Amino acid sequence: MSTVRIGVFICECGPNIKNAVDLDGLSRFARGLDNVVVAERFALLCSLEGKDTLAKEIQRHRLTRVVIAACSPKEHEHTFKQVMAQAGLNSFLLQIANIREQCAWVISDKTRATQKAQAILEAAVNRVARHEPLEIREIACLPDVVVVGAGMAGISAALTLAQKDRKVHLVEKAPCIGGKVARYEDLFPNLECASCVLDPLLDAVLHHPNIQLWTLSEVKNVLGYFGNYTVEIITKARHVDLQTCIGCGACVEVCPVSVQNEYNEGLDTRKAVYLPYPGALPNLAAIDETHCLRWQSQDCESCQQACPFGSIDYQETDRNMSLKAGAVVIATGFDLFDVTKAPQYGYGKIDNIYTALEFERLVNANGPTQGKLILKDGRVPESIVLIHCVGSRTPRYHQHCSGVCCSYLFKFAHQIRKKIPDATITSLYTDMCLPGKEAQPFSDKIAQKTGLKKIRIKDPAAVTITQDHGRPRVTYTDACDASKSVVADMVVLAPAITGTKDASSLGTLFDIPLGGSGFFVEEQTSLAPVSTPIEGVFVAGCAQGPKEIQAAVSQGQAAAGKILSQLVPGQKRALEAMTAAVDTELCSGCKICLGLCPYKAIVFDDTQQVAGIEEVLCRGCGICAATCPSGAISARHFTDAQLGAEIESLARHTGRENRS
Amino acid sequence: MAHKPKIALYWCSSCGGCEESVVDLAEDILAVAEAAEIVFWPVALDAKYDDVARLDDGAITATLINGAIRLDEHVSMARLLRKKSRLLFAHGSCAHLGGVVGLGNFFTNEEILNRVYCDVPTVNNPDRVLPRPETRQGTTVLKLTGLHDMVRSLHQVVDVDYTIPGCPPPPALVKEAVMMVLEDRLPPKGSIVADTRALCYTCPRKETRPEMLEVPSFKRVYEIEWDPEQCFLNQGVVCMGPVTRGGCMAQCIQANMPCRGCFGPVDNVRDQGAKSASLLASLMESTDEEQLKKIVETIPDPGGLFYRYSLASSIMKGRVRRRP
């Protein structure tokens, strides 16, 4: 290491370090360390003057490495790296000795603070001597984006992203877009008509020149890395020509098959050729192969004959498509807790007990009853009970609070009162969750206007619903520990919002872990809520956690913003320089590292029988390096030699202090 | 007659297995005896300390020392042989790493002596008589060589040129070491006479090793009947293959037993035990704290398992005793 010439620059940081540490002593100490050719104190290294001096000193002393004894690297490492680069040194040949936060600010005794500063400084000097210059490489990126899920979050992301030079592939499992919200009647908090608010947005998606919509499509495989993903999708045959169909419904009328309509939550039936619900966009029919007679070996051609435009095509087959994109947004939405798993609620066994989504369809003008709020036998209900927290906030089912149910149950109360002016509306709740600037005023107004009867109960999971002369009887324990019951004509349950049933298979494809209740895990809860552990894959809306429309839209736009700032058309993306590296002469091919890499960055070379790092995927987390049983993997800039030198210096000082 | 190279063999704190590895050369040992003069080998030849002390410095071409360093006598013999030998080989795991006897570093001398001389059920020593440095009987003074506080490897006491790893080393490696000397084809100083890669590279079962290995609980060999074709780790049986230098021809694996780690770590690994811990930790099939604790409990003696051969030469070197 004869060519190693280290410069040590000690910053006074105003009075911050100067008053707490003997800086002249520290400079003298530094001059005595191996390879140090200059060690000086400066008033304020991060100032313009300081940076200028630093650059000049580097050149004057022909330094090959630099140690800066100053504040936390989080504060100014970046600043000093830039100075290094200006002075013609590789910026990785720098080490920061944090003698402010870890020393000056926490030790009041000047002698001891100086001793610790010496230890930190010596560790930095011994580490930097072992630093190696690293190259920051760049790769070309595709600006296009795949958005999975065309609900509120997905649509928001797509519309924000679709610009000049950027195409968005919007992949939707259903034949129509708009997700669950498109099937609501009114929207919280302004009680606007949902389709009036939404339709222009959906139209914008359908007619956007830069948005390619793939309905009836699902992701089958994902390959690649941030900037260069290939997303393989399968598009189910619609058997209806997208160009000529106008959604007139002539085919539907003649179809002889009748099946439960999932778009009305199974509350009525649809045909095997169908439009999901009136007003569904795109306004196109679709044939459902599972039920159409032609796929049951029968010779029906009714729909083809009835279609005035010749749009029906029985020959169409499922297509596998390969979409190329730089980034992916997962916005696959939510499902409700399956209330049949909590049999005490009597759901599915007793008539006139509905989940929130079913109720949304019941009150919807395009729903199975055309918006008439009626019981199974056609009568108008005189009493309706709303139950909060079904399957949520309990260790028995889901521990989380879905956060939106209280608000929408007030919306339901409003809708009920509007349709049935004299019905009794009772709400059974444990705690009200009405955060934000809208929910509390909204609920106060509605509670007052509707005369909603609010009953505080002990435990929603302990509510039982039994049948009483054909009507549901709801038994609960009230806040005063008294067991009570109420008989109603109709019960509406607010089940926990959970991740979708197919989230786990999607999570496996993208290698993104799922948390409790089936939501995708974000990279960092507070500060990176729409990023995932996989670079270039973002998550937005209820796929990430339960939330109201406004928040889902914000997340869709946030994910889009992240992509817009990181994937600029024509610009290259810098790769992580501090990646892992395999010494293939030492690798024993034990494969331990393969299963551990969170970024799928390790590949196994079957011919050589050794592991290798896919550098574009590696984020330099160091898991493989720490685990490699052969020490064959090193983490650049955090090698055993570098860390060992640092630790040994610190340990030696600690030993010295303990002996003294 | 041409001047024959001189060879010496010595044992320190050792079980005798390494001596066996020399005897196991069988007929080949005759060839060695033909090509070289064995000047000192207490287990087989009647040569004394003075015979060695009388030799000129560097007179012995190569000396193989097996066993760990625990007694004053070991240190003085190691130093003497170092001085008299041109090349010094650490022979076997104990000389290389401290070996199984190095596990003594988990205990104090007092604990060891009490156990061995008093508390072992088959020992009858009601007066608790323990070995002492000096025993006087009338005018006679009997002296015992000093017992050290810690077991050390040969490397920690004298400069070592080469290492033959293994507990005991396969005879083929002993032969290779001797032939290296006789045929004058010496590798760089410090080399270990074995592979540079870990055992997995030459393991006959490596094809059965999956890309994603998750172990719900670790098994000791008496607990299951394992598949003789499958990777041991894949069956939950602790195998040290990934953290152990290869070169043993996978003899234990071939005999359907998992690797116990006697060849020590590969060059880039400083502490085999720490690596073993991180290896096994990385395989545990859970992210739940409680479940992980249960999996950890399936390793009843982690210190003994991870550091079976390398405790004395590890970073911690033994149980850490806080200064009073």
Side-chain angles (χ1 to χ4, degrees):
Chain A
M1 279 192 281
S2 57
T3 56
V4 172
R5 296 174 62 82
I6 301 172
V8 175
F9 300 94
I10 301 165
C11 181
E12 292 175 2
C13 194
N16 276 303
I17 300 176
K18 185 169 70 181
N19 291 352
V21 177
D22 167 14
L23 292 184
D24 286 331
L26 190 62
S27 309
R28 272 197 305 279
F29 170 81
R31 280 180 217 121
L33 296 172
D34 287 349
N35 302 309
V36 172
V37 294
V38 56
E40 293 295 340
R41 58 187 283 183
F42 295 89
L44 199 60
L45 277 172
C46 62
S47 66
L48 270 178
E49 195 192 354
K51 289 191 283 187
D52 194 44
T53 314
L54 182 56
K56 281 184 185 145
E57 288 288 291
I58 290 173
Q59 283 164 343
R60 190 158 74 92
H61 296 281
R62 290 175 290 113
L63 300 179
T64 61
R65 323 262 148 143
V66 172
V67 169
I68 305 234
C71 55
S72 161
K74 283 192 190 277
E75 188 137 349
H76 277 303
E77 185 176 39
H78 187 66
T79 312
F80 297 126
K81 275 186 158 189
Q82 283 178 338
V83 178
M84 297 274 290
Q86 280 160 20
L89 274 184
N90 184 286
S91 63
F92 290 93
L93 299 173
L94 166 76
Q95 181 67 10
I96 306 279
N98 179 358
I99 58 164
R100 191 179 73 178
E101 282 85 344
Q102 291 180 357
C103 202
W105 282 357
V106 286
I107 303 173
S108 49
D109 178 77
K110 195 163 184 172
T111 313
R112 299 206 51 181
T114 307
Q115 276 174 355
K116 188 174 177 188
Q118 288 177 354
I120 294 172
L121 187 63
E122 185 176 342
V125 166
N126 286 337
R127 188 191 207 279
V128 87
R130 288 161 180 82
H131 279 196
E132 285 156 24
L134 298 182
E135 184 195 351
I136 296 176
R137 296 190 303 132
E138 292 187 323
I139 49 158
C141 295
L142 300 167
D144 297 351
V145 181
V146 169
V147 177
V148 187
M152 292 314 297
I155 282 173
S156 308
L159 285 170
T160 314
L161 283 164
Q163 299 173 351
K164 189 170 156 291
D165 300 331
R166 193 189 303 276
K167 193 169 168 179
V168 175
H169 295 280
L170 184 57
V171 180
E172 170 58 51
K173 197 166 72 167
C176 53
I177 61 171
K180 294 190 173 64
V181 175
R183 289 183 273 140
Y184 298 168
E185 177 74 5
D186 307 305
L187 300 183
F188 162 86
N190 297 330
L191 300 169
E192 297 144 303
C193 148
S195 69
C196 309
V197 175
L198 227 61
D199 287 358
L201 214 60
L202 304 187
D203 264 330
V205 169
L206 295 177
H207 298 114
H208 201 297
N210 286 9
I211 296 179
Q212 171 72 55
L213 176 64
W214 301 95
T215 51
L216 293 165
S217 300
E218 285 180 67
V219 176
K220 284 287 156 212
N221 199 13
V222 184
L223 304 160
Y225 43 85
F226 188 25
N228 290 282
Y229 279 111
T230 301
V231 180
E232 294 173 1
I233 62 165
I234 181 165
T235 298
K236 287 217 186 89
R238 186 184 273 268
H239 300 291
V240 172
D241 180 38
L242 304 180
Q243 307 307 321
T244 54
C245 173
I246 61 155
C248 67
C251 53
V252 178
E253 276 168 38
V254 296
C255 178
V257 181
S258 182
V259 295
Q260 235 186 18
N261 185 1
E262 62 271 42
Y263 301 96
N264 277 336
E265 301 300 310
L267 295 175
D268 67 349
T269 59
R270 64 164 170 83
K271 299 295 184 64
V273 58
Y274 65 102
L275 291 136
Y277 49 90
L281 290 173
N283 185 22
L284 296 168
I287 293 179
D288 154 19
E289 286 181 13
T290 327
H291 298 102
C292 174
L293 296 179
R294 294 188 61 85
W295 279 269
Q296 326 293 322
S297 322
Q298 292 182 46
D299 267 346
C300 180
E301 285 179 3
S302 317
C303 57
Q304 200 171 47
Q305 284 161 9
C307 177
F309 307 102
S311 304
I312 306 283
D313 172 12
Y314 298 130
Q315 309 307 321
E316 190 191 344
T317 51
D318 294 354
R319 279 182 303 158
N320 289 301
M321 301 292 298
S322 235
L323 310 177
K324 300 271 185 197
V328 179
V329 179
I330 296 179
T332 45
F334 68 93
D335 277 336
L336 290 184
F337 166 64
D338 177 3
V339 189
T340 58
K341 292 202 174 121
Q344 67 270 31
Y345 290 105
Y347 174 77
K349 297 201 188 77
I350 301 168
D351 280 346
N352 300 313
I353 302 178
Y354 294 104
T355 67
L357 280 179
E358 290 167 348
F359 184 83
E360 290 281 5
R361 293 313 289 158
L362 278 182
V363 294
N364 192 293
N366 293 323
T369 57
Q370 290 79 45
K372 288 201 281 291
L373 188 53
I374 47 174
L375 297 171
K376 272 224 159 151
D377 58 10
R379 285 187 304 118
V380 173
E382 289 169 18
S383 54
I384 298 178
V385 172
L386 310 174
I387 304 182
H388 294 236
C389 303
V390 172
S392 49
R393 301 174 67 225
T394 164
R396 278 171 76 181
Y397 307 110
H398 295 279
Q399 283 199 301
H400 68 272
C401 164
S402 296
V404 298
C405 323
C406 292
S407 303
Y408 75 60
L409 285 174
F410 280 101
K411 178 181 86 175
F412 289 178
H414 162 81
Q415 289 168 323
I416 295 167
R417 178 60 70 239
K418 228 169 88 183
K419 290 180 190 288
I420 315 166
D422 52 358
T424 318
I425 316 171
T426 312
S427 123
L428 300 184
Y429 75 101
T430 309
D431 299 292
M432 282 290 175
C433 172
L434 298 162
K437 60 180 181 175
E438 315 282 5
Q440 189 69 52
F442 173 79
S443 68
D444 289 346
K445 188 176 82 189
I446 286 177
Q448 191 223 336
K449 275 171 92 174
T450 58
L452 172 71
K453 194 171 157 196
K454 289 191 281 184
I455 298 175
R456 189 162 193 178
I457 64 170
K458 268 211 110 161
D459 176 10
V463 165
T464 55
I465 304 179
T466 48
Q467 203 157 341
D468 187 333
H469 300 92
R471 296 166 77 206
R473 172 182 285 276
V474 184
T475 307
Y476 58 91
T477 306
D478 73 9
C480 307
D481 257 338
S483 179
K484 293 193 172 154
S485 73
V486 54
V487 179
D489 290 328
M490 182 184 277
V491 175
V492 181
L493 308 175
I497 288 178
T498 68
T500 57
K501 287 170 197 75
D502 39 13
S504 75
S505 56
L506 201 63
T508 309
L509 287 180
F510 283 98
D511 211 18
I512 298 169
L514 292 190
S517 303
F519 298 111
F520 289 98
V521 170
E522 60 285 313
E523 189 183 16
Q524 211 282 337
T525 312
S526 308
L527 301 177
V530 299
S531 306
T532 69
I534 302 292
E535 217 181 356
V537 178
F538 299 85
V539 60
C542 287
Q544 182 258 356
K547 55 181 60 69
E548 53 178 14
I549 295 167
Q550 189 191 48
V553 169
S554 303
Q555 282 204 337
Q557 292 173 351
K562 280 261 187 194
I563 295 168
L564 289 173
S565 66
Q566 292 175 25
L567 277 187
V568 180
Q571 275 188 21
K572 290 185 169 181
R573 196 170 66 79
L575 294 178
E576 177 61 65
M578 295 182 277
T579 52
V582 179
D583 181 342
T584 50
E585 297 291 310
L586 271 181
C587 175
S588 75
C590 71
K591 298 184 182 171
I592 300 288
C593 53
L594 294 178
L596 298 175
C597 177
Y599 309 108
K600 291 194 203 168
I602 307 182
V603 286
F604 196 71
D605 179 340
D606 284 315
T607 24
Q608 300 295 316
Q609 290 287 304
V610 292
I613 306 290
E614 191 77 76
E615 287 211 13
V616 285
L617 295 179
C618 178
R619 307 266 296 266
C621 71
I623 290 176
C624 58
T627 312
C628 177
S630 292
I633 307 185
S634 55
R636 291 193 177 102
H637 210 61
F638 291 92
T639 64
D640 283 359
Q642 291 161 354
L643 295 179
E646 196 172 11
I647 293 167
E648 265 179 44
S649 312
L650 290 171
R652 234 186 351 258
H653 271 273
T654 315
R656 236 177 268 154
E657 263 171 55
N658 285 353
R659 277 191 294 277
S660 65
Chain B
M1 200 178 87
H3 207 64
K4 275 191 190 179
K6 292 185 170 62
I7 303 261
L9 296 109
Y10 189 69
W11 55 356
C12 294
S13 188
S14 150
C15 67
C18 290
E19 306 290 342
E20 267 315 315
S21 73
V22 180
V23 175
D24 281 348
L25 287 171
E27 300 86 80
D28 287 342
I29 202 162
L30 298 174
V32 174
E34 184 70 25
E37 184 192 346
I38 301 177
V39 293
F40 186 59
W41 188 13
V43 81
L45 302 178
D46 187 18
K48 298 285 190 256
Y49 176 87
D50 287 344
D51 299 324
V52 179
R54 265 199 301 273
L55 293 170
D56 292 339
D57 287 356
I60 305 173
T61 314
T63 295
L64 274 63
I65 294 181
N66 72 74
I69 308 296
R70 163 118 252 185
L71 303 174
D72 284 340
E73 184 195 64
H74 297 150
V75 176
S76 57
M77 282 308 289
R79 287 189 182 145
L80 176 69
L81 286 163
R82 171 70 274 187
K83 207 163 79 176
K84 301 295 175 188
S85 313
R86 208 155 53 75
L87 298 170
L88 182 66
F89 283 74
H91 175 199
S93 303
C94 297
H96 174 200
L97 305 162
V100 168
V101 294
L103 290 173
N105 288 355
F106 278 131
F107 305 93
T108 61
N109 283 357
E110 194 187 355
E111 286 168 327
I112 293 172
L113 292 176
N114 278 325
R115 175 74 185 161
V116 174
Y117 290 95
C118 307
D119 301 334
V120 169
T122 52
V123 167
N124 183 17
N125 181 5
D127 299 333
R128 302 188 78 83
V129 178
L130 297 178
R132 277 173 293 170
E134 259 189 31
T135 306
R136 283 177 188 278
Q137 269 192 340
T139 52
T140 322
V141 181
L142 292 171
K143 285 189 176 173
L144 278 180
T145 183
L147 178 67
H148 296 180
D149 285 344
M150 298 286 275
V151 178
R152 285 179 289 170
S153 72
L154 186 60
H155 298 259
Q156 290 169 313
V157 179
V158 291
D159 184 40
V160 173
D161 296 297
Y162 301 107
T163 298
I164 314 166
C167 181
L173 290 188
V174 178
K175 187 181 165 191
E176 167 60 15
V178 174
M179 295 317 284
M180 260 164 42
V181 176
L182 296 183
E183 296 171 1
D184 197 24
R185 46 175 177 85
L186 294 168
K189 184 177 164 163
S191 295
I192 293 178
V193 187
D195 292 353
T196 47
R197 296 185 207 251
L199 178 59
C200 292
Y201 199 67
T202 47
C203 178
R205 301 186 184 189
K206 71 170 170 181
E207 295 295 325
T208 63
R209 177 77 175 74
E211 294 214 344
M212 182 70 178
L213 183 58
E214 289 192 313
V215 179
S217 74
F218 291 103
K219 301 282 189 301
R220 305 178 84 182
V221 282
Y222 68 85
E223 290 175 308
I224 59 163
E225 277 196 33
W226 61 96
D227 181 340
E229 308 287 326
Q230 278 274 326
C231 168
F232 280 102
L233 283 168
N234 200 19
Q235 306 181 64
V237 178
V238 174
C239 176
M240 292 295 169
V243 285
T244 305
R245 183 184 296 274
C248 55
M249 283 75 80
Q251 290 184 110
C252 297
I253 313 285
Q254 311 250 24
N256 199 16
M257 287 299 281
C259 172
R260 307 206 307 174
C262 72
F263 267 48
V266 295
D267 286 346
N268 266 14
V269 176
R270 169 72 185 83
D271 192 305
Q272 188 184 17
K275 267 296 178 203
S276 311
S278 112
L279 164 72
L280 297 186
S282 74
L283 303 179
M284 295 180 187
E285 188 191 20
S286 181
T287 48
D288 174 68
E289 199 79 15
E290 288 305 308
Q291 190 55 34
L292 284 169
K293 270 187 199 156
K294 283 190 188 134
I295 302 177
V296 169
E297 280 164 14
T298 60
I299 303 172
D301 174 19
L305 178 70
F306 302 154
Y307 288 104
R308 197 192 306 258
Y309 299 96
S310 63
L311 182 64
S313 56
S314 69
I315 292 171
M316 304 305 276
K317 299 187 174 57
R319 194 165 76 188
V320 174
R321 288 158 205 152
R322 292 194 188 284
R323 260 181 233 123

